[in-house]
Amino acid sequence: MYERPTPDNSFDKYDEVRLHMEQLLSAHIIEVDMPMRIAIPLDDAGISRLRDLVRLTREDLFKISRLGAKSVDEIERILERLGLSLGMRP
């Protein structure tokens, strides 16, 4: 007689944690105080948003021209401060 409502698992715009994460991942790397010596090589490699950056691994970053160990370490520190890390699948 009556249908049971099915749960809606779609994105809830009022879910603050998910909304915050979505906004954070959509941020441009310049918006998170990424040093220009790191941001320019990332941008040249087509990585402009945090979403693009967190999908990469350390090994992927080492393949980018003009990024060395010190820069990769700094990227990891910046991401950690934001609650993110390399190798994420957002």
Side-chain angles (χ1 to χ4, degrees):
M1 187 158 162
Y2 293 103
E3 287 185 35
R4 288 189 88 160
T6 57
D8 181 12
N9 295 328
S10 63
F11 183 75
D12 180 2
K13 66 181 179 180
Y14 299 105
D15 183 350
E16 291 183 34
V17 174
R18 288 179 64 186
L19 182 59
H20 172 73
M21 185 60 72
E22 183 60 33
Q23 289 175 336
L24 183 60
L25 291 171
S26 297
H28 195 280
I29 55 175
I30 299 296
E31 296 175 39
V32 294
D33 296 327
M34 189 74 63
M36 292 307 290
R37 66 179 173 78
I38 297 173
I40 291 171
L42 288 175
D43 193 54
D44 290 346
I47 302 158
S48 60
R49 305 238 171 244
L50 285 178
R51 173 176 282 108
D52 305 325
L53 182 59
V54 298
R55 289 183 175 143
L56 302 176
T57 63
R58 280 183 68 86
E59 293 75 28
D60 295 332
L61 290 175
F62 283 125
K63 294 176 187 174
I64 297 173
S65 177
R66 299 185 324 232
L67 283 185
K70 187 175 179 180
S71 296
V72 172
D73 289 343
E74 189 164 354
I75 290 170
E76 287 184 315
R77 280 192 302 273
I78 291 168
L79 291 176
E80 184 179 330
R81 186 181 71 223
L82 297 170
L84 302 171
S85 65
L86 292 174
M88 293 178 69
R89 298 288 170 215

